[in-house]
Amino acid sequence: MSQIHRHLRFLSLKQLREKEVDLSLLAYPSGEAGRVSEVLRELEALGVAGIGVAESSGKLSPFLLGKGVRGMVFLGLLDETRVAVKVARTDAAVPTMEQEATHLGKANTVNVGPRLFKHSPHIIVMEYVEGETLAEFITTRSRVEIAEIVAKILDQAYLLDKIHLDHGQLSNSSDHIIISPGGKPTIIDYSHSSQQRRPRNVTAFTSYLIRTILRERKNDPTLLTLLKQYKEKQDETIYITLKETVARLIAA
Ligand SMILES: Nc1ncnc2c1ncn2[C@@H]1O[C@H](COP(=O)(O)OP(=O)(O)O)[C@@H](O)[C@H]1O
Ligand SMILES: [Mg+2]
């Protein structure tokens, strides 16, 4: 996948406006011209120099890195660096990206999540994370490799618990964690995050594991006791024992 991205063509905002490019994806799904112009103005104000484009059936359109329920994610250029540009969908449940940007920025304070570079009402410009999704990773790698990555993800989830930021979607982590080739996991998508709810990142991620790679261990008494203890008290000693238990069960 990264190979395709490497050869991607980038067009400046001026070229996007002038060339025969179908820009309706910038205002998905409504495609309103007014919103497309607004998004282009915001991109310009943020200093985004270009957007990756791809050709399909003879027509150019912005290359889509990923499509979510809140946003459409494109590849952009900021100071000659490739960045991920998340543009709010016109049918998103919340009108702006402000809160999501705040939550991503908060996660960054403990070095979690893609780096937040810039944001505006409809756009978040952040670090582009290359790699495979956790779902792909856990179906193709050895249990030892998975255990190692899971321990790193749990550490990040624990840091989020500590700063009282609930990610909100870690009980289904399949598409929300990207593993880079060097073995670094990145938790993406802070669209459902909250600083009001009691954080349950470690327990939500563990419940995802129990539904996927730890299915046969779902009744393991040590694991269940530790989960219960951690739910009651988010204490470091309990956390470390829980992490070691999870890693041991996966690698076994
Ligand atoms: N920083 C990023 N780097 C690379 N790909 C990303 C990044 N952020 C999002 N994506 C891709 O875009 C998809 C949708 O983004 P996501 O933040 O989950 O949107 P939504 O909030 O609408 O669900 C993701 O599943 C992923 O494939
Ligand atoms: Mg998402």
Side-chain angles (χ1 to χ4, degrees):
M1 195 157 85
S2 46
Q3 241 89 41
I4 302 171
H5 298 176
R6 211 145 282 144
H7 299 295
L8 202 69
R9 195 170 145 203
F10 283 85
L11 292 183
S12 69
L13 300 184
K14 188 166 175 276
Q15 287 172 317
L16 282 181
R17 285 191 180 102
E18 290 169 1
K19 276 197 185 242
E20 286 286 298
V21 184
D22 180 359
L23 296 176
S24 58
L25 279 181
L26 298 180
Y28 184 87
S30 77
E32 303 157 65
R35 178 68 168 262
V36 170
S37 308
E38 202 176 345
V39 167
L40 285 170
R41 275 198 302 275
E42 285 183 33
L43 286 169
E44 195 160 20
L46 292 171
V48 174
I51 292 287
V53 292
E55 195 175 316
S56 88
S57 40
K59 227 170 51 180
L60 278 180
S61 60
F63 171 75
L64 194 61
L65 210 51
K67 174 179 170 183
V69 286
R70 262 316 152 70
M72 305 290 279
V73 183
F74 305 97
L75 260 178
L77 285 178
L78 185 74
D79 302 328
E80 292 170 34
T81 302
R82 287 181 173 214
V83 290
V85 177
K86 183 167 178 175
V87 178
R89 288 175 54 138
T90 56
D91 60 355
V94 290
T96 78
M97 296 295 237
E98 293 299 334
Q99 211 179 37
E100 180 171 343
T102 303
H103 289 149
L104 175 58
K106 175 92 182 167
N108 282 180
T109 63
V110 287
N111 293 318
V112 172
R115 287 261 131 223
L116 170 68
F117 295 134
K118 308 243 167 144
H119 64 96
S120 64
H122 300 106
I123 299 168
I124 290 178
V125 181
M126 63 188 140
E127 178 189 350
Y128 164 49
V129 187
E130 244 182 313
E132 51 190 328
T133 63
L134 182 62
E136 286 161 352
F137 193 89
I138 62 174
T139 50
T140 55
R141 302 309 172 97
S142 73
R143 294 188 76 90
V144 172
E145 279 177 290
I146 298 168
E148 208 173 289
I149 290 294
V150 160
K152 291 185 193 171
I153 300 169
L154 279 170
D155 280 345
Q156 295 185 13
Y158 179 65
L159 287 171
L160 294 181
D161 280 351
K162 284 281 117 184
I163 59 165
H164 297 279
L165 179 68
D166 187 42
H167 178 274
Q169 298 184 93
L170 292 182
S171 57
N172 189 0
S173 289
S174 291
D175 291 334
H176 289 132
I177 300 175
I178 300 178
I179 320 294
S180 300
K184 179 181 186 272
T186 304
I187 301 174
I188 63 163
D189 193 0
Y190 294 77
S191 61
H192 288 62
S193 302
S194 165
Q195 289 180 274
Q196 260 79 52
R197 289 192 300 264
R198 182 178 157 76
R200 45 183 307 272
N201 301 296
V202 166
T203 51
F205 180 61
T206 308
S207 74
Y208 166 78
L209 296 173
I210 291 174
R211 276 192 299 104
T212 54
I213 43 169
L214 283 180
R215 216 166 15 200
E216 330 81 85
R217 305 300 197 116
K218 68 172 192 284
N219 297 319
D220 184 274
T222 313
L223 178 61
L224 294 181
T225 306
L226 284 165
L227 260 181
K228 187 162 172 278
Q229 284 176 346
Y230 185 83
K231 257 181 206 160
E232 281 159 14
K233 189 161 170 259
Q234 299 192 342
D235 164 275
E236 186 164 3
T237 315
I238 300 170
Y239 165 65
I240 289 170
T241 319
L242 173 64
K243 174 174 75 166
E244 287 169 356
T245 303
V246 168
R248 181 174 47 78
L249 289 174
I250 291 174

